[in-house]
Amino acid sequence: MSMIRYSVIPDKNPREILLLRGTGCAYKLCTFCDYHEDSSQDLASNFQVNKEAISKVTGKFGILEVINSGSFNELDEDTMNLLVETCARLHIHTIHFECHWLYRRFIPALRARFAAVNTRVVMKQGIETFDYEYRRDVMKKGINEPDPAKLAEGFEECCLLFGLPGQTYESMINDVETGLKYFNRVCINTMTANNAPLQPDPEVVRICKEEVIPRYLDNDRVDTLLENTDFGIGGEE
Ligand code: SF4
Protein backbone atom coordinates (compact mmCIF):
# COMPACT_ATOMS: atom_id res chain seq x y z
CA MET A 1 0.00 0.00 0.00
CA SER A 2 1.16 3.53 -0.70
CA MET A 3 -0.01 6.93 0.45
CA ILE A 4 -2.56 8.84 -1.63
CA ARG A 5 -0.69 11.94 -2.77
CA TYR A 6 -2.96 13.45 -5.43
CA SER A 7 -6.58 14.54 -5.15
CA VAL A 8 -9.14 17.00 -6.48
CA ILE A 9 -11.13 19.36 -4.27
CA PRO A 10 -14.25 20.07 -6.33
CA ASP A 11 -16.01 22.67 -4.19
CA LYS A 12 -15.00 25.86 -2.36
CA ASN A 13 -12.04 27.20 -4.31
CA PRO A 14 -11.82 24.15 -6.65
CA ARG A 15 -8.28 22.96 -7.01
CA GLU A 16 -6.00 19.99 -7.42
CA ILE A 17 -3.95 19.09 -4.35
CA LEU A 18 -0.66 17.24 -3.88
CA LEU A 19 0.84 15.78 -0.72
CA LEU A 20 4.56 15.72 -1.54
CA ARG A 21 7.46 14.31 0.47
CA GLY A 22 10.30 16.50 1.65
CA THR A 23 13.18 16.21 4.05
CA GLY A 24 10.73 16.85 6.87
CA CYS A 25 9.98 19.64 9.23
CA ALA A 26 13.21 20.97 10.69
CA TYR A 27 11.34 22.31 13.72
CA LYS A 28 9.46 19.18 14.88
CA LEU A 29 8.60 20.56 18.33
CA CYS A 30 4.85 21.22 18.03
CA THR A 31 3.25 19.13 20.76
CA PHE A 32 0.23 18.11 18.63
CA CYS A 33 2.07 17.02 15.48
CA ASP A 34 3.49 13.82 14.11
CA TYR A 35 3.09 14.81 10.43
CA HIS A 36 6.83 15.10 10.06
CA GLU A 37 7.01 11.29 9.97
CA ASP A 38 6.15 11.51 6.23
CA SER A 39 9.67 12.52 5.20
CA SER A 40 13.01 11.20 4.03
CA GLN A 41 16.54 12.55 3.80
CA ASP A 42 16.97 10.67 0.51
CA LEU A 43 16.38 13.46 -2.03
CA ALA A 44 16.38 11.13 -5.05
CA SER A 45 13.77 8.91 -3.44
CA ASN A 46 11.66 11.94 -2.51
CA PHE A 47 11.80 13.14 -6.10
CA GLN A 48 10.63 9.77 -7.44
CA VAL A 49 7.65 9.81 -5.05
CA ASN A 50 6.84 13.42 -5.91
CA LYS A 51 7.31 12.96 -9.66
CA GLU A 52 4.67 10.24 -9.72
CA ALA A 53 2.20 12.44 -7.82
CA ILE A 54 2.90 15.53 -9.94
CA SER A 55 2.37 13.48 -13.14
CA LYS A 56 -1.33 13.20 -12.18
CA VAL A 57 -1.90 16.97 -12.23
CA THR A 58 -4.07 18.05 -15.17
CA GLY A 59 -4.37 21.79 -14.56
CA LYS A 60 -8.17 21.49 -14.89
CA PHE A 61 -8.88 24.33 -12.48
CA GLY A 62 -5.72 26.36 -13.04
CA ILE A 63 -5.11 26.11 -9.29
CA LEU A 64 -2.79 23.67 -7.53
CA GLU A 65 -2.19 23.29 -3.80
CA VAL A 66 1.01 21.66 -2.56
CA ILE A 67 1.41 20.46 0.99
CA ASN A 68 4.34 18.46 2.31
CA SER A 69 3.91 17.94 6.06
CA GLY A 70 6.18 20.89 6.70
CA SER A 71 7.34 23.88 4.66
CA PHE A 72 7.90 24.29 0.91
CA ASN A 73 11.64 24.83 1.36
CA GLU A 74 11.97 21.21 2.57
CA LEU A 75 11.17 19.98 -0.95
CA ASP A 76 14.11 18.95 -3.14
CA GLU A 77 15.27 21.05 -6.06
CA ASP A 78 14.22 18.56 -8.74
CA THR A 79 10.70 18.56 -7.33
CA MET A 80 10.58 22.36 -7.32
CA ASN A 81 11.82 22.50 -10.92
CA LEU A 82 9.17 19.99 -11.95
CA LEU A 83 6.46 22.05 -10.22
CA VAL A 84 7.57 25.19 -12.08
CA GLU A 85 7.66 23.30 -15.37
CA THR A 86 4.22 21.76 -14.69
CA CYS A 87 2.66 25.14 -13.86
CA ALA A 88 4.07 26.60 -17.08
CA ARG A 89 2.99 23.66 -19.27
CA LEU A 90 -0.54 23.35 -17.84
CA HIS A 91 -1.13 27.11 -17.47
CA ILE A 92 -1.66 26.85 -13.73
CA HIS A 93 -2.20 30.45 -12.68
CA THR A 94 -2.09 29.92 -8.91
CA ILE A 95 -0.07 27.56 -6.72
CA HIS A 96 -0.53 27.29 -2.96
CA PHE A 97 2.28 26.26 -0.62
CA GLU A 98 2.68 26.05 3.16
CA CYS A 99 5.44 27.61 5.20
CA HIS A 100 6.31 27.84 8.87
CA TRP A 101 6.84 31.35 10.21
CA LEU A 102 10.54 30.52 10.74
CA TYR A 103 11.15 30.25 6.96
CA ARG A 104 9.27 33.34 5.80
CA ARG A 105 12.48 34.90 4.46
CA PHE A 106 12.54 32.27 1.69
CA ILE A 107 9.09 33.20 0.37
CA PRO A 108 9.97 36.19 -1.89
CA ALA A 109 12.39 34.09 -3.95
CA LEU A 110 9.72 31.41 -4.37
CA ARG A 111 7.21 34.00 -5.55
CA ALA A 112 9.72 35.32 -8.09
CA ARG A 113 10.50 31.83 -9.34
CA PHE A 114 6.86 31.08 -10.14
CA ALA A 115 6.11 34.61 -11.36
CA ALA A 116 8.60 33.88 -14.16
CA VAL A 117 6.06 31.36 -15.54
CA ASN A 118 3.05 33.59 -14.74
CA THR A 119 2.00 31.59 -11.71
CA ARG A 120 0.99 33.40 -8.54
CA VAL A 121 2.11 31.89 -5.23
CA VAL A 122 -0.37 31.84 -2.35
CA MET A 123 1.26 31.09 0.98
CA LYS A 124 -0.44 29.37 3.91
CA GLN A 125 0.87 29.48 7.47
CA GLY A 126 -0.06 27.05 10.24
CA ILE A 127 -0.90 29.56 12.96
CA GLU A 128 -3.22 27.14 14.81
CA THR A 129 -4.58 29.82 17.19
CA PHE A 130 -4.27 33.56 17.72
CA ASP A 131 -4.05 32.97 21.49
CA TYR A 132 -0.34 33.73 21.79
CA GLU A 133 0.28 32.11 25.18
CA TYR A 134 -1.62 28.95 24.25
CA ARG A 135 0.26 28.68 20.96
CA ARG A 136 3.60 29.25 22.66
CA ASP A 137 3.21 27.31 25.91
CA VAL A 138 0.77 24.49 25.08
CA MET A 139 1.24 23.95 21.35
CA LYS A 140 4.93 24.96 21.38
CA LYS A 141 4.47 26.16 17.83
CA GLY A 142 7.64 28.24 17.67
CA ILE A 143 6.04 31.43 16.36
CA ASN A 144 7.49 34.30 18.33
CA GLU A 145 4.96 36.92 17.22
CA PRO A 146 1.71 37.80 19.04
CA ASP A 147 0.38 40.40 16.56
CA PRO A 148 -2.00 38.89 13.95
CA ALA A 149 -1.31 41.74 11.52
CA LYS A 150 2.41 40.96 11.59
CA LEU A 151 1.72 37.22 11.31
CA ALA A 152 -0.16 37.93 8.09
CA GLU A 153 2.71 39.82 6.45
CA GLY A 154 3.82 37.74 3.49
CA PHE A 155 1.07 35.14 3.94
CA GLU A 156 -2.39 34.98 2.36
CA GLU A 157 -3.91 32.03 4.24
CA CYS A 158 -3.77 30.47 7.68
CA CYS A 159 -4.54 27.11 9.26
CA LEU A 160 -6.21 26.83 12.65
CA LEU A 161 -6.26 23.73 14.85
CA PHE A 162 -9.34 23.04 16.99
CA GLY A 163 -10.37 20.31 19.39
CA LEU A 164 -7.58 20.69 21.94
CA PRO A 165 -7.83 20.82 25.76
CA GLY A 166 -8.64 24.32 27.03
CA GLN A 167 -10.16 25.61 23.80
CA THR A 168 -13.75 26.87 24.00
CA TYR A 169 -16.56 27.84 21.64
CA GLU A 170 -15.64 31.50 22.19
CA SER A 171 -11.90 30.96 21.64
CA MET A 172 -12.51 29.01 18.42
CA ILE A 173 -14.94 31.60 17.04
CA ASN A 174 -12.47 34.35 17.93
CA ASP A 175 -9.70 32.48 16.11
CA VAL A 176 -11.78 32.11 12.92
CA GLU A 177 -12.92 35.72 12.97
CA THR A 178 -9.36 36.96 13.55
CA GLY A 179 -8.15 34.77 10.71
CA LEU A 180 -10.82 36.16 8.38
CA LYS A 181 -9.87 39.69 9.34
CA TYR A 182 -6.19 39.36 8.49
CA PHE A 183 -6.05 36.57 5.88
CA ASN A 184 -7.84 35.88 2.58
CA ARG A 185 -8.72 32.34 3.60
CA VAL A 186 -8.82 30.24 6.76
CA CYS A 187 -8.53 26.46 7.02
CA ILE A 188 -10.00 24.88 10.17
CA ASN A 189 -8.39 21.55 11.04
CA THR A 190 -10.08 19.38 13.64
CA MET A 191 -7.59 17.58 15.86
CA THR A 192 -7.60 13.81 15.57
CA ALA A 193 -5.75 11.31 17.75
CA ASN A 194 -2.17 10.66 16.68
CA ASN A 195 1.18 9.77 18.27
CA ALA A 196 1.99 13.29 19.50
CA PRO A 197 1.98 14.32 23.21
CA LEU A 198 -0.98 16.74 22.95
CA GLN A 199 -4.18 14.86 22.19
CA PRO A 200 -7.74 15.96 21.36
CA ASP A 201 -10.33 16.70 24.04
CA PRO A 202 -13.53 14.90 22.91
CA GLU A 203 -15.83 17.62 24.29
CA VAL A 204 -13.90 20.39 22.50
CA VAL A 205 -13.95 18.31 19.31
CA ARG A 206 -17.74 17.98 19.69
CA ILE A 207 -18.14 21.75 20.13
CA CYS A 208 -15.93 22.34 17.10
CA LYS A 209 -17.87 19.91 14.89
CA GLU A 210 -21.40 20.72 16.09
CA GLU A 211 -21.24 24.42 16.92
CA VAL A 212 -18.24 26.09 15.28
CA ILE A 213 -17.80 24.45 11.87
CA PRO A 214 -21.51 24.62 10.91
CA ARG A 215 -21.31 28.41 11.18
CA TYR A 216 -18.74 28.49 8.38
CA LEU A 217 -19.86 25.73 6.02
CA ASP A 218 -21.28 28.25 3.53
CA ASN A 219 -18.37 30.66 3.84
CA ASP A 220 -16.22 30.41 0.69
CA ARG A 221 -13.23 31.80 2.59
CA VAL A 222 -13.25 28.96 5.12
CA ASP A 223 -12.15 25.37 4.52
CA THR A 224 -13.19 22.87 7.20
CA LEU A 225 -11.48 19.53 7.77
CA LEU A 226 -13.03 17.06 10.20
CA GLU A 227 -10.30 14.52 9.47
CA ASN A 228 -6.84 15.32 8.15
CA THR A 229 -7.60 13.10 5.14
CA ASP A 230 -10.71 15.12 4.14
CA PHE A 231 -8.88 16.75 1.22
CA GLY A 232 -8.55 13.22 -0.21
CA ILE A 233 -4.83 12.86 0.43
CA GLY A 234 -2.80 11.26 3.21
CA GLY A 235 -4.75 7.99 3.36
CA GLU A 236 -3.61 4.64 1.98
CA GLU A 237 -4.44 3.41 -1.52
S1 SF4 B 1 2.99 21.41 12.92
FE1 SF4 B 1 4.33 21.93 11.21
S2 SF4 B 1 6.01 23.10 12.20
FE2 SF4 B 1 4.99 21.96 13.82
S3 SF4 B 1 6.17 20.05 14.03
FE3 SF4 B 1 4.43 19.67 12.64
S4 SF4 B 1 5.24 19.96 10.58
FE4 SF4 B 1 6.67 20.94 12.04
mmCIF file of all heavy atoms in Angstrom, residues 149-169:
data_model
loop_
_atom_site.group_PDB
_atom_site.id
_atom_site.type_symbol
_atom_site.label_atom_id
_atom_site.label_comp_id
_atom_site.label_asym_id
_atom_site.label_seq_id
_atom_site.Cartn_x
_atom_site.Cartn_y
_atom_site.Cartn_z
ATOM 1 N N ALA A 149 -1.619 40.962 12.739
ATOM 2 C CA ALA A 149 -1.310 41.741 11.523
ATOM 3 C C ALA A 149 0.101 41.414 11.042
ATOM 4 O O ALA A 149 0.346 41.255 9.841
ATOM 5 C CB ALA A 149 -1.446 43.231 11.806
ATOM 6 N N LYS A 150 1.027 41.286 11.986
ATOM 7 C CA LYS A 150 2.411 40.961 11.590
ATOM 8 C C LYS A 150 2.500 39.514 11.111
ATOM 9 O O LYS A 150 3.272 39.194 10.191
ATOM 10 C CB LYS A 150 3.355 41.200 12.764
ATOM 11 C CG LYS A 150 3.492 42.662 13.089
ATOM 12 C CD LYS A 150 4.811 42.960 13.784
ATOM 13 C CE LYS A 150 4.982 44.465 13.949
ATOM 14 N NZ LYS A 150 5.016 44.899 15.326
ATOM 15 N N LEU A 151 1.716 38.630 11.741
ATOM 16 C CA LEU A 151 1.721 37.225 11.306
ATOM 17 C C LEU A 151 1.244 37.080 9.865
ATOM 18 O O LEU A 151 1.622 36.142 9.160
ATOM 19 C CB LEU A 151 0.792 36.396 12.207
ATOM 20 C CG LEU A 151 1.310 36.056 13.592
ATOM 21 C CD1 LEU A 151 0.223 35.378 14.395
ATOM 22 C CD2 LEU A 151 2.532 35.171 13.504
ATOM 23 N N ALA A 152 0.404 38.014 9.443
ATOM 24 C CA ALA A 152 -0.158 37.926 8.093
ATOM 25 C C ALA A 152 0.762 38.516 7.036
ATOM 26 O O ALA A 152 0.519 38.322 5.838
ATOM 27 C CB ALA A 152 -1.512 38.636 8.056
ATOM 28 N N GLU A 153 1.822 39.212 7.443
ATOM 29 C CA GLU A 153 2.714 39.821 6.455
ATOM 30 C C GLU A 153 3.402 38.731 5.645
ATOM 31 O O GLU A 153 4.106 37.882 6.193
ATOM 32 C CB GLU A 153 3.750 40.706 7.149
ATOM 33 C CG GLU A 153 3.162 42.006 7.669
ATOM 34 C CD GLU A 153 4.156 42.819 8.490
ATOM 35 O OE1 GLU A 153 5.351 42.462 8.539
ATOM 36 O OE2 GLU A 153 3.697 43.802 9.117
ATOM 37 N N GLY A 154 3.187 38.733 4.350
ATOM 38 C CA GLY A 154 3.822 37.742 3.486
ATOM 39 C C GLY A 154 3.054 36.442 3.360
ATOM 40 O O GLY A 154 3.489 35.524 2.672
ATOM 41 N N PHE A 155 1.898 36.347 4.019
ATOM 42 C CA PHE A 155 1.068 35.135 3.939
ATOM 43 C C PHE A 155 -0.358 35.539 3.549
ATOM 44 O O PHE A 155 -0.865 36.569 4.001
ATOM 45 C CB PHE A 155 1.014 34.413 5.287
ATOM 46 C CG PHE A 155 2.330 33.815 5.717
ATOM 47 C CD1 PHE A 155 3.248 34.583 6.423
ATOM 48 C CD2 PHE A 155 2.644 32.500 5.421
ATOM 49 C CE1 PHE A 155 4.465 34.046 6.828
ATOM 50 C CE2 PHE A 155 3.856 31.954 5.827
ATOM 51 C CZ PHE A 155 4.768 32.721 6.521
ATOM 52 N N GLU A 156 -1.008 34.704 2.754
ATOM 53 C CA GLU A 156 -2.395 34.978 2.355
ATOM 54 C C GLU A 156 -3.403 34.123 3.124
ATOM 55 O O GLU A 156 -4.581 34.475 3.190
ATOM 56 C CB GLU A 156 -2.599 34.692 0.858
ATOM 57 C CG GLU A 156 -1.941 35.692 -0.070
ATOM 58 C CD GLU A 156 -0.486 35.382 -0.355
ATOM 59 O OE1 GLU A 156 0.007 34.322 0.107
ATOM 60 O OE2 GLU A 156 0.162 36.193 -1.028
ATOM 61 N N GLU A 157 -2.965 32.975 3.635
ATOM 62 C CA GLU A 157 -3.911 32.031 4.241
ATOM 63 C C GLU A 157 -3.345 31.516 5.564
ATOM 64 O O GLU A 157 -2.122 31.494 5.757
ATOM 65 C CB GLU A 157 -4.148 30.837 3.309
ATOM 66 C CG GLU A 157 -4.669 31.244 1.947
ATOM 67 C CD GLU A 157 -4.949 30.072 1.013
ATOM 68 O OE1 GLU A 157 -4.464 28.949 1.283
ATOM 69 O OE2 GLU A 157 -5.637 30.291 0.018
ATOM 70 N N CYS A 158 -4.259 31.081 6.446
ATOM 71 C CA CYS A 158 -3.771 30.472 7.685
ATOM 72 C C CYS A 158 -4.561 29.214 8.016
ATOM 73 O O CYS A 158 -5.716 29.065 7.628
ATOM 74 C CB CYS A 158 -3.831 31.465 8.849
ATOM 75 S SG CYS A 158 -5.483 31.826 9.437
ATOM 76 N N CYS A 159 -3.893 28.306 8.722
ATOM 77 C CA CYS A 159 -4.544 27.109 9.263
ATOM 78 C C CYS A 159 -4.761 27.293 10.749
ATOM 79 O O CYS A 159 -3.899 27.840 11.450
ATOM 80 C CB CYS A 159 -3.642 25.884 9.083
ATOM 81 S SG CYS A 159 -3.601 25.245 7.428
ATOM 82 N N LEU A 160 -5.899 26.823 11.223
ATOM 83 C CA LEU A 160 -6.206 26.826 12.651
ATOM 84 C C LEU A 160 -6.425 25.389 13.091
ATOM 85 O O LEU A 160 -6.904 24.562 12.304
ATOM 86 C CB LEU A 160 -7.468 27.643 12.917
ATOM 87 C CG LEU A 160 -7.414 29.116 12.496
ATOM 88 C CD1 LEU A 160 -8.781 29.763 12.636
ATOM 89 C CD2 LEU A 160 -6.375 29.877 13.329
ATOM 90 N N LEU A 161 -6.098 25.092 14.332
ATOM 91 C CA LEU A 161 -6.261 23.731 14.847
ATOM 92 C C LEU A 161 -7.188 23.747 16.063
ATOM 93 O O LEU A 161 -6.874 24.389 17.081
ATOM 94 C CB LEU A 161 -4.898 23.147 15.238
ATOM 95 C CG LEU A 161 -4.942 21.699 15.733
ATOM 96 C CD1 LEU A 161 -5.473 20.760 14.646
ATOM 97 C CD2 LEU A 161 -3.552 21.251 16.182
ATOM 98 N N PHE A 162 -8.322 23.047 15.933
ATOM 99 C CA PHE A 162 -9.336 23.040 16.990
ATOM 100 C C PHE A 162 -9.559 21.626 17.527
ATOM 101 O O PHE A 162 -9.335 20.639 16.831
ATOM 102 C CB PHE A 162 -10.660 23.565 16.442
ATOM 103 C CG PHE A 162 -10.638 25.041 16.077
ATOM 104 C CD1 PHE A 162 -11.669 25.580 15.307
ATOM 105 C CD2 PHE A 162 -9.618 25.877 16.487
ATOM 106 C CE1 PHE A 162 -11.672 26.924 14.962
ATOM 107 C CE2 PHE A 162 -9.610 27.230 16.149
ATOM 108 C CZ PHE A 162 -10.647 27.753 15.387
ATOM 109 N N GLY A 163 -10.052 21.594 18.773
ATOM 110 C CA GLY A 163 -10.369 20.306 19.393
ATOM 111 C C GLY A 163 -9.393 19.957 20.496
ATOM 112 O O GLY A 163 -9.354 18.818 20.963
ATOM 113 N N LEU A 164 -8.621 20.955 20.940
ATOM 114 C CA LEU A 164 -7.584 20.693 21.944
ATOM 115 C C LEU A 164 -8.037 21.108 23.344
ATOM 116 O O LEU A 164 -8.894 21.988 23.493
ATOM 117 C CB LEU A 164 -6.313 21.466 21.570
ATOM 118 C CG LEU A 164 -5.636 20.983 20.289
ATOM 119 C CD1 LEU A 164 -4.567 21.967 19.845
ATOM 120 C CD2 LEU A 164 -5.031 19.592 20.509
ATOM 121 N N PRO A 165 -7.458 20.484 24.383
ATOM 122 C CA PRO A 165 -7.828 20.819 25.761
ATOM 123 C C PRO A 165 -7.683 22.316 26.026
ATOM 124 O O PRO A 165 -6.685 22.927 25.626
ATOM 125 C CB PRO A 165 -6.811 20.033 26.601
ATOM 126 C CG PRO A 165 -6.310 18.950 25.706
ATOM 127 C CD PRO A 165 -6.400 19.470 24.303
ATOM 128 N N GLY A 166 -8.703 22.897 26.669
ATOM 129 C CA GLY A 166 -8.637 24.316 27.033
ATOM 130 C C GLY A 166 -9.296 25.228 26.016
ATOM 131 O O GLY A 166 -9.640 26.370 26.340
ATOM 132 N N GLN A 167 -9.478 24.775 24.783
ATOM 133 C CA GLN A 167 -10.159 25.611 23.798
ATOM 134 C C GLN A 167 -11.660 25.622 24.105
ATOM 135 O O GLN A 167 -12.201 24.660 24.658
ATOM 136 C CB GLN A 167 -9.901 25.097 22.372
ATOM 137 C CG GLN A 167 -8.451 25.267 21.941
ATOM 138 C CD GLN A 167 -8.206 24.777 20.513
ATOM 139 O OE1 GLN A 167 -8.703 23.724 20.116
ATOM 140 N NE2 GLN A 167 -7.422 25.530 19.762
ATOM 141 N N THR A 168 -12.317 26.718 23.755
ATOM 142 C CA THR A 168 -13.755 26.865 24.004
ATOM 143 C C THR A 168 -14.444 27.323 22.729
ATOM 144 O O THR A 168 -13.776 27.726 21.763
ATOM 145 C CB THR A 168 -14.013 27.929 25.090
ATOM 146 O OG1 THR A 168 -13.548 29.194 24.581
ATOM 147 C CG2 THR A 168 -13.307 27.591 26.386
ATOM 148 N N TYR A 169 -15.792 27.308 22.774
ATOM 149 C CA TYR A 169 -16.558 27.838 21.638
ATOM 150 C C TYR A 169 -16.099 29.271 21.340
ATOM 151 O O TYR A 169 -15.803 29.616 20.190
ATOM 152 C CB TYR A 169 -18.056 27.812 21.975
ATOM 153 C CG TYR A 169 -18.908 28.488 20.944
ATOM 154 C CD1 TYR A 169 -19.261 27.833 19.766
ATOM 155 C CD2 TYR A 169 -19.369 29.797 21.145
ATOM 156 C CE1 TYR A 169 -20.043 28.469 18.811
ATOM 157 C CE2 TYR A 169 -20.145 30.438 20.191
ATOM 158 C CZ TYR A 169 -20.480 29.772 19.033
ATOM 159 O OH TYR A 169 -21.241 30.395 18.088
#
